[in-house]
Amino acid sequence: MKSALPGRWWATFAFITVVAVAGVAFLIWASIGRSGETLAACPPACPVTFTEPSSLLPASVEMDQTIFLYNLIFWLAVIVFVVVEGLLFWTVFRYRNRPPESAVQTHGNTKLEIAWTIAPAIILAVIMGFTLQTMADIRGPVAAQTLRVKAIGHQFWWEFRYPAQRVVTASEMVVPYGVPIEVEMESVDVEHGFWAPELFGKVDAIPGYTTRLRFSPNQIGKSEYGGTCTQLCGAQHAQMRFVVKVVTQAEFDDWATAQLQPAPAADTLRGEVAAGAAAFVEAKNACVACHVIDGVPQAVGKVGPNLTHVGSRPFLAGGVLANTPENLALWLKNPQGVKPGNLMRIAPLDDQTVANLVAYLSALK
Ligand code: CUA
């Protein structure tokens, strides 16, 4: 019996091993959350860069449960892989190049067949038990003190409504720590997907239908979590982002109170800000046809985001630009150039009007 394997066999074996190890290393590297630049580090007129959210860094009770299930299934699969591949390789080595005359043909092995039927059945039953339990836990009945938020998908930005607080905002969902949050998703146009990987699994927002998800943030260290649309919904699907800001209950109450304040009355404004307020309601600029500003009776449009507190938001245009005066000017001059295919179509504005509008909108904190 020949003891050594042919050289080519070893080369193939080594190649497959290297590719498999490199593949697994890449998957581990790609799945670990890596920090991008923060919003604050972004100089004026540069696009927003988000920290890459990762489901493997859970920050809510529900994601902790989901990740436990994920790890359970992953490690069971690793054990199955090692046992099956180990037996396969052992068989290949043990019985390589055996002279045909020494081989004994057998048929069937009842004990083995029972074993390899029962073992997978037990593993799948364990996975099913934990899966049903996790599904029941994360979709269970809503607690009494739950905060309700409506997330409404628009091409291409997210609107957030707080029915109890009567707050309406865009692109930024502020929630208190330690309180279960129930999000009701709707869409005004096409199907969108709502996902902040560290806080909850993705759920679609479907026109004419309300879907729900629940999450309870349980980490206060990091306060901002990136989220995005996950259903291909048009040209700017990739630029339909939002941020979930987790704050203390007191900070949340202060925020909600501030969000309820209407915009300052026009006769209290001076200089560029007053000129901007006048330009905003001018019919030829068409701002009021699509946007609401509480306290401005002409501004009643429902197509675009409510701008009552646009100056307090972290970014503009559904996450394309950081909210700086330079970026706001860029956006007002050429919204189709910044985000082609979005619904903001306006006649070109002269530089002074843009400067006035920037001064006014930036002052709406
Ligand atoms: Cu909305 Cu993709």
Side-chain angles (χ1 to χ4, degrees):
M1 192 159 85
K2 224 164 85 180
S3 63
L5 288 166
R8 192 187 292 163
W9 202 97
W10 279 113
T12 309
F13 179 67
F15 177 74
I16 292 170
T17 307
V18 167
V19 169
V21 169
V24 169
F26 174 77
L27 286 177
I28 291 172
W29 173 80
S31 64
I32 292 171
R34 296 180 307 284
S35 297
E37 291 166 59
T38 62
L39 298 181
C42 186
C46 80
V48 174
T49 50
F50 285 78
T51 52
E52 289 177 39
S54 169
S55 295
L56 299 181
L57 302 170
S60 71
V61 175
E62 290 74 9
M63 280 311 293
D64 279 348
Q65 289 171 302
T66 308
I67 288 302
F68 170 80
L69 185 63
Y70 170 86
N71 284 331
L72 176 78
I73 295 172
F74 176 82
W75 288 109
L76 282 175
V78 167
I79 293 168
V80 169
F81 177 82
V82 168
V83 169
V84 171
E85 292 302 302
L87 283 172
L88 180 67
F89 273 91
W90 177 80
T91 310
V92 168
F93 277 92
R94 174 73 180 75
Y95 296 106
R96 69 189 186 276
N97 281 354
R98 197 159 50 164
E101 60 275 16
S102 76
V104 183
Q105 296 294 334
T106 60
H107 178 76
N109 185 320
T110 310
K111 277 182 194 160
L112 260 184
E113 284 167 18
I114 289 172
W116 72 48
T117 304
I118 288 179
I122 291 172
I123 292 171
L124 291 176
V126 167
I127 289 174
M128 185 175 79
F130 278 99
T131 303
L132 292 176
Q133 184 61 51
T134 306
M135 285 167 69
D137 285 347
I138 67 177
R139 289 283 165 91
V142 171
Q145 79 282 29
T146 301
L147 173 73
R148 282 177 60 232
V149 186
K150 273 177 187 275
I152 303 164
H154 296 252
Q155 284 172 314
F156 302 94
W157 56 281
W158 289 99
E159 177 179 2
F160 296 104
R161 291 176 171 264
Y162 297 70
Q165 289 73 14
R166 304 195 320 283
V167 167
V168 181
T169 186
S171 298
E172 183 188 42
M173 179 162 81
V174 179
V175 295
Y177 165 77
V179 173
I181 320 292
E182 189 185 48
V183 187
E184 294 182 354
M185 281 137 306
E186 291 169 11
S187 168
V188 299
D189 37 49
V190 299
E191 190 167 335
H192 302 277
F194 192 69
W195 192 26
E198 287 140 325
L199 296 170
F200 46 81
K202 59 185 172 182
V203 177
D204 285 358
I206 301 162
Y209 185 76
T210 302
T211 49
R212 287 180 174 78
L213 68 82
R214 216 186 59 199
F215 72 102
S216 313
N218 64 358
Q219 312 256 319
I220 195 82
K222 179 184 166 190
S223 67
E224 289 190 356
Y225 299 92
T228 190
C229 180
T230 55
Q231 283 291 352
L232 184 59
C233 56
Q236 294 295 334
H237 155 66
Q239 306 284 13
M240 187 169 164
R241 292 181 278 196
F242 61 93
V243 70
V244 183
K245 205 168 167 187
V246 179
V247 298
T248 62
Q249 183 69 52
E251 286 170 326
F252 175 78
D253 293 339
D254 290 347
W255 173 82
T257 307
Q259 292 288 312
L260 280 180
Q261 299 303 312
D267 55 12
T268 65
L269 305 174
R270 297 287 173 268
E272 274 195 329
V273 177
F280 192 85
V281 297
E282 233 178 279
K284 75 175 165 70
N285 294 334
C287 308
V288 293
C290 294
H291 294 283
V292 166
I293 293 184
D294 296 334
V296 178
Q298 301 95 321
V300 292
K302 294 284 166 72
V303 179
N306 181 312
L307 298 178
T308 312
H309 296 279
V310 64
S312 73
R313 292 178 196 154
F315 42 71
L316 301 168
V320 179
L321 297 169
N323 192 358
T324 65
E326 293 82 0
N327 282 344
L328 184 52
L330 209 68
W331 173 248
L332 290 171
K333 272 184 198 158
N334 188 4
Q336 291 304 319
V338 171
K339 192 173 180 179
N342 85 82
L343 290 185
M344 181 146 151
R345 292 184 176 83
I346 50 170
L349 303 168
D350 63 73
D351 286 353
Q352 189 55 55
T353 306
V354 168
N356 294 342
L357 284 169
V358 168
Y360 174 57
L361 294 170
S362 301
L364 298 177
K365 297 282 186 191

